[in-house]
Amino acid sequence: MAVRKLKEQAPVAPVGANISFKEKVGYGFGDLASNLVFAAVGMFLLFYYTDVAGASAAAVGTIILLSRLLDGFTDIGMGAIVDKTKSKHGKARPWLLWMAIPYAVAAVLLFSVPDLGPVAMLVYIAVTYNLIHIIYTAINIPYGVLNSLITQDQYQRSQLNIFRMLMALIANVILMYLTFPLVEAFGGGKQGWQLTFGVFAILAAILFLITFFTTKERVKPVRERETTSSTVSLKVGFKALMKNKYWAIMVGFAVVTYAGMGLGQGLNVYYAQYILGNPALVGPMGLAGLFPMMVGILFVAPIIKKIGKRNAIIGGLLIGAIGTIVIMIDPSNWTLVLIGSMIRGIGGVPLIASIFAMLADTIEYGEWKSGVRTEGLVYSAGSFGTKVGMGLGAAMMGWALSFGGYVGGVAEQSASANTTLIALFVYLPLVFSIIQIIFLYFYKLDKEYPQILKELQERKA
């Protein structure tokens, strides 16, 4: 029977209280691998489809949203599969081994749109876009679950997440500064894009294998015989999930957060070219936001430990709003955009350092509340929120550009198209921040988690 109230108990040592530096770095390499391809989907894919392949922005935006919705449901299925996976390597790690090469192959196909008619081109885009997301789900859901299986310690989870997000930021920098030079070095056009992502895909596969060989699963269910694949059905898992209020909060928070990220990632290349008037600024523009994150993430752990993940994120969102206000002064002024982007980057540090660790913490809350531990289902259902959010953000951008009269491949855009770009880049992030803070107002798990963990350890004893 689930315990309704927390009891004061003596401290206990969580499983995985000390994780080696090597394992943290190895775990982080998994997100470097993921983002060498997946961040490119957000940054460049819409641009590649519209300005290189010649597809309709509105049609592509619709494909992206529908595909992300479908992808969200495959997340749920993959989470259930992870929970039922049994191998000598554990339940999450083996998927990194099995899917590394398919992920690389699908990435190359994604950036290999052939010269076909408009309809056949959209069919190819739909098929390959869905293929990369299905394979990404099969490798990224287990990768995310792995955090909760390596350690049960809140601080160590935050540390793992920090290494993960640092590597993700490095991947973003690599993409921003090497993509266009590599495309040109490989001859430009479709061939240049295909060969460039062939290089990134091979590197991603190697990095996933490094993650597999350098990590270890340690955490087991409190009542393992009650949470085996033969007793915990998908129906039971979902019923337990519906009792997990903090998971629900994090899903909503993830949708809004990743809608903003999905919008922002793909927008820079358009904003640099048409609002700032210099497409070469896309690299410095992106780095202005990422560099403060890369530095800040190295020092944010003590702050998170002292005030909690939730409070740190709220503070960061307020700082990010200041950066947006700076850009509002003159959205076409490169200096103000640079300064505002840097402030936004600083504000984003607690968010990227904590979001997946917060989702992992809801696993223990769900186990404490219902007596059922299903890491895969909890994380996959949370990942559903990130996928839907990213899809919504990308689709919003595609629809808005089409509504604003954007025409791919031209030297200058109409006044309405430029106004749309400014609204998406400057004003919409403020709306997202307000909604994020509302979600976090109801998140109290940071304070409750230590007592929940004590009660779980007592049941195990």
Side-chain angles (χ1 to χ4, degrees), residues 83-86 224 227-233:
D83 283 330
K84 295 178 180 294
T85 298
K86 290 184 178 181
E224 191 160 6
T227 55
T228 61
S229 59
S230 61
T231 58
V232 178
S233 64

mmCIF file of all heavy atoms in Angstrom, residues 83-86 224 227-233:
data_model
loop_
_atom_site.group_PDB
_atom_site.id
_atom_site.type_symbol
_atom_site.label_atom_id
_atom_site.label_comp_id
_atom_site.label_asym_id
_atom_site.label_seq_id
_atom_site.Cartn_x
_atom_site.Cartn_y
_atom_site.Cartn_z
ATOM 1 N N ASP A 83 11.629 -1.261 -19.914
ATOM 2 C CA ASP A 83 11.284 -1.842 -18.614
ATOM 3 C C ASP A 83 11.281 -3.364 -18.649
ATOM 4 O O ASP A 83 11.500 -4.021 -17.631
ATOM 5 C CB ASP A 83 9.908 -1.337 -18.156
ATOM 6 C CG ASP A 83 9.962 0.087 -17.617
ATOM 7 O OD1 ASP A 83 11.015 0.459 -17.067
ATOM 8 O OD2 ASP A 83 8.971 0.813 -17.757
ATOM 9 N N LYS A 84 11.031 -3.938 -19.818
ATOM 10 C CA LYS A 84 10.980 -5.390 -19.934
ATOM 11 C C LYS A 84 12.277 -5.989 -20.464
ATOM 12 O O LYS A 84 12.397 -7.208 -20.604
ATOM 13 C CB LYS A 84 9.816 -5.787 -20.858
ATOM 14 C CG LYS A 84 8.444 -5.427 -20.294
ATOM 15 C CD LYS A 84 7.339 -5.794 -21.279
ATOM 16 C CE LYS A 84 5.968 -5.428 -20.722
ATOM 17 N NZ LYS A 84 5.614 -6.212 -19.535
ATOM 18 N N THR A 85 13.245 -5.146 -20.793
ATOM 19 C CA THR A 85 14.516 -5.634 -21.335
ATOM 20 C C THR A 85 15.353 -6.297 -20.243
ATOM 21 O O THR A 85 15.536 -5.734 -19.164
ATOM 22 C CB THR A 85 15.324 -4.480 -21.960
ATOM 23 O OG1 THR A 85 14.579 -3.916 -23.040
ATOM 24 C CG2 THR A 85 16.669 -4.976 -22.487
ATOM 25 N N LYS A 86 15.863 -7.471 -20.540
ATOM 26 C CA LYS A 86 16.755 -8.182 -19.623
ATOM 27 C C LYS A 86 17.954 -8.694 -20.418
ATOM 28 O O LYS A 86 17.786 -9.420 -21.398
ATOM 29 C CB LYS A 86 16.039 -9.362 -18.965
ATOM 30 C CG LYS A 86 14.969 -8.962 -17.971
ATOM 31 C CD LYS A 86 14.377 -10.185 -17.292
ATOM 32 C CE LYS A 86 13.324 -9.811 -16.252
ATOM 33 N NZ LYS A 86 12.770 -11.014 -15.576
ATOM 34 N N GLU A 224 11.807 -5.889 -6.138
ATOM 35 C CA GLU A 224 12.123 -6.343 -7.494
ATOM 36 C C GLU A 224 11.166 -7.415 -7.991
ATOM 37 O O GLU A 224 10.788 -7.439 -9.145
ATOM 38 C CB GLU A 224 13.562 -6.864 -7.539
ATOM 39 C CG GLU A 224 14.040 -7.101 -8.954
ATOM 40 C CD GLU A 224 15.541 -7.143 -9.057
ATOM 41 O OE1 GLU A 224 16.214 -7.090 -8.015
ATOM 42 O OE2 GLU A 224 16.031 -7.244 -10.180
ATOM 43 N N THR A 227 8.138 -5.910 -9.599
ATOM 44 C CA THR A 227 8.289 -5.033 -10.741
ATOM 45 C C THR A 227 8.992 -5.721 -11.898
ATOM 46 O O THR A 227 9.617 -5.104 -12.717
ATOM 47 C CB THR A 227 9.072 -3.773 -10.331
ATOM 48 O OG1 THR A 227 10.321 -4.176 -9.747
ATOM 49 C CG2 THR A 227 8.297 -2.942 -9.354
ATOM 50 N N THR A 228 8.913 -7.030 -11.959
ATOM 51 C CA THR A 228 9.464 -7.746 -13.100
ATOM 52 C C THR A 228 8.533 -7.629 -14.285
ATOM 53 O O THR A 228 7.365 -7.276 -14.145
ATOM 54 C CB THR A 228 9.661 -9.236 -12.750
ATOM 55 O OG1 THR A 228 8.392 -9.792 -12.424
ATOM 56 C CG2 THR A 228 10.618 -9.411 -11.584
ATOM 57 N N SER A 229 9.054 -7.967 -15.444
ATOM 58 C CA SER A 229 8.247 -7.817 -16.653
ATOM 59 C C SER A 229 7.006 -8.692 -16.628
ATOM 60 O O SER A 229 6.034 -8.421 -17.307
ATOM 61 C CB SER A 229 9.108 -8.146 -17.875
ATOM 62 O OG SER A 229 9.599 -9.465 -17.788
ATOM 63 N N SER A 230 7.009 -9.760 -15.826
ATOM 64 C CA SER A 230 5.863 -10.657 -15.815
ATOM 65 C C SER A 230 4.722 -10.134 -14.960
ATOM 66 O O SER A 230 3.604 -10.600 -15.082
ATOM 67 C CB SER A 230 6.300 -12.032 -15.287
ATOM 68 O OG SER A 230 6.784 -11.914 -13.955
ATOM 69 N N THR A 231 4.979 -9.161 -14.074
ATOM 70 C CA THR A 231 3.930 -8.687 -13.186
ATOM 71 C C THR A 231 3.500 -7.253 -13.451
ATOM 72 O O THR A 231 2.383 -6.887 -13.140
ATOM 73 C CB THR A 231 4.392 -8.781 -11.712
ATOM 74 O OG1 THR A 231 5.591 -8.017 -11.560
ATOM 75 C CG2 THR A 231 4.636 -10.221 -11.315
ATOM 76 N N VAL A 232 4.391 -6.425 -14.016
ATOM 77 C CA VAL A 232 4.029 -5.043 -14.283
ATOM 78 C C VAL A 232 3.633 -4.888 -15.744
ATOM 79 O O VAL A 232 4.478 -4.811 -16.623
ATOM 80 C CB VAL A 232 5.185 -4.082 -13.931
ATOM 81 C CG1 VAL A 232 4.766 -2.651 -14.271
ATOM 82 C CG2 VAL A 232 5.529 -4.192 -12.460
ATOM 83 N N SER A 233 2.348 -4.875 -15.991
ATOM 84 C CA SER A 233 1.863 -4.703 -17.354
ATOM 85 C C SER A 233 1.853 -3.221 -17.701
ATOM 86 O O SER A 233 2.026 -2.349 -16.849
ATOM 87 C CB SER A 233 0.437 -5.255 -17.466
ATOM 88 O OG SER A 233 -0.449 -4.496 -16.649
#
